[in-house]
Amino acid sequence: MTIDMSQFYQVFFDEADELLAEMEKLLLAIDVSAPDSEDLNAIFRAAHSIKGGAATFAFNDITEVTHMLESLLDRIRKGEMALTPEHVDAFLVSKDILTMLMDGHHHGSGVDQAAVESVCQRLKALSQGTAADAPAAATAAPAAAEPAPSAAPVADADGNYHFRIELPDVPQRDVDALATELGLLGTISQETLPSQRVVFTLVTSEGLDNIIAICSFVLDPDDLKISHAGAATDMAAASAQDDPGYGIFEPEKADAASPTPAAAAEAPKAEPAAPAAEAKNPGRRATDKEGVSQESSSIRVGIEKVDQLINLVGELVITQAMIEQRISVLDPIHHERLLNSVGQLTRNTRDLQEAVMSIRMMPMDYVFSRFPRMVRDLAGKLNKKVEFVTRGAATELDKGLIERIVDPLTHLVRNSVDHGIEMPETRLASGKNETGKLTLSAAHQGGNIVIEVTDDGGGLNRDRILAKAKQQGLPVSDSIPDADVWQLIFAPGFSTAEVVTDVSGRGVGMDVVKRNITAMGGTVEIRSIPGVGTTISISLPLTLAILDGMSVRVGEEVYILPLGYVVESLQPAAADVKDIAGQGQVVKIREEYLPLIPLYQIFDIEPNFTSPSQGIAVILEADGKKAALLVDALVGQQQVVVKNLESNFRKVAGISGATILGDGGVSLILDVSALLRSSRQLNADPVFF
């Protein structure tokens, strides 16, 4: 029976993406002058895992690149060659090439074969470089020292070792995968024993550690039997003597019950196999240092299944709200047991809803991890020195928002490196460290997450921004506060860059940043001090799937206001409502006049009042601006499940979504930011979007 290997492609691509991301993270953080051996081993294992998977699926181009990458890494981690910045650059370029090749196989995108050939030649040239001196090699990699002479395999005349590898009872596909992978190390032959077990004979110049790492990709190293094949008379003689088997190998002629002291001394050499196996096959059983079996702590589930589960829980929440509304008219004395049961159901439903929603939450490290490389490359292109720091990478955000926040953050980070942080000589002249500092942080504040991009650069230039705004015809005055001046950079086509580069300066992007964040229900604020630095702060709701809302009634319709925008509600006095010529009505709230937005006019609904003093004014705040929304009455506060109106009907101005109420009716969720932007009264205090 032929197995269709394509069904396993997605798992390989997902794991390869994770390994490449981890490799890049380690490379960017590594100390070139004194690299940590664990980091080098982890980078090597990542490359080797990708090579093994690629060989299994016959992705030969990926196998070729990773094999050369692995060979160079192996020399460095064994101390045969000192790590240099040139090596790190080559490894990062190789990571980009591997990503391109992955996309080619996964999505059918184009592959630059010249770039692939170039990186292969670069890795080959580096791997043929001068080896480090012996003392340095011994210090850098004591684990690579040769075993005792009595235990050492003996090379043949060509400098190759001969190994006999007996496999346990494994499926044929695993045998084929191992044959392909081990064949990359040298010449391999295969035979089948009467017990139907397969035995490989491998002639290679590679060491035992590499054989262990390769085999552990498919099976548990403890199930292997590896010994020295009789390639030469002196090797046969060595094998006939006390051969310890390097701790985990079973010698051809040895008493398993009486391991020699040499065998015990060599036992630690088996340890690298475990992390290699774990990196290659995260779903299989792992073993801790005490030998206790541990099951994998996570499983990989398609996002469509998670979305389906969340939708079902949302329907359950709506059904539960319907039940609560039906029983609200019952006599609590005669129906006490029923009401208690429904109360328990309500609590369980809320707990279930929170647990399911947490499945969609992902750490911000998913976003943050892609910026160190970008900052490094961009700083190099601009001849700047930048230290990149992240804080709060473990802070969680809904997966849907995380994917949409990547592009805005990318633009803000690029702007900070290009416009914010000065050239090294400029920083030194102003008494600063020549290396600028760029910080990306995330933290929870109430029901929101606040993401900040902070640089210690030159800050925003108020005079230049105002001059540019006047040049573009924006209605500004010299007396407007700094906060409003900084918001001008989000105006479409606005840029103060004197030179247009491939990094920025065309006046596009910042308006899109503001628009995208606003579409996610978020806000953007800027704080800047000339000569000190700039902080751009983004506030987002933790999730768009469920929100706490306030129900308001206008005529016979019920609308939902996101609770995060609501400041307070009150019934205005007739004397506090004023008419302004050409600007509509305003309401006085504690010595502050706010625009009054009659919701019934926006949606053409007949209200149940004849004057504003008979209605309710809900004070809203969004994007630093306040307004009073005039409604008939407040219905109550509740948690609602958000349904996408655009995908089920069409986009409606002033509406961000819809929900189903407990009585089964549909209620529209108001887009507060859009309502405030569309209010003509706000023209007296310009806002630029």
Side-chain angles (χ1 to χ4, degrees), residues 462 466 470 474-481 485 488:
R462 175 187 171 96
L466 283 174
K470 293 175 181 177
L474 298 177
V476 295
S477 65
D478 293 335
S479 61
I480 64 174
V485 174
L488 289 170

Side-chain angles (χ1 to χ4, degrees), residues 18 58 76 97 143 151 199 218 233 257 266 307 402 418 460 564 582 632 688:
E18 293 172 4
I76 294 172
I97 294 297
V199 175
V218 175
T233 304
E266 289 296 321
D307 288 340
I402 271 193
D418 188 21
L460 297 178
D632 287 11
F688 300 96

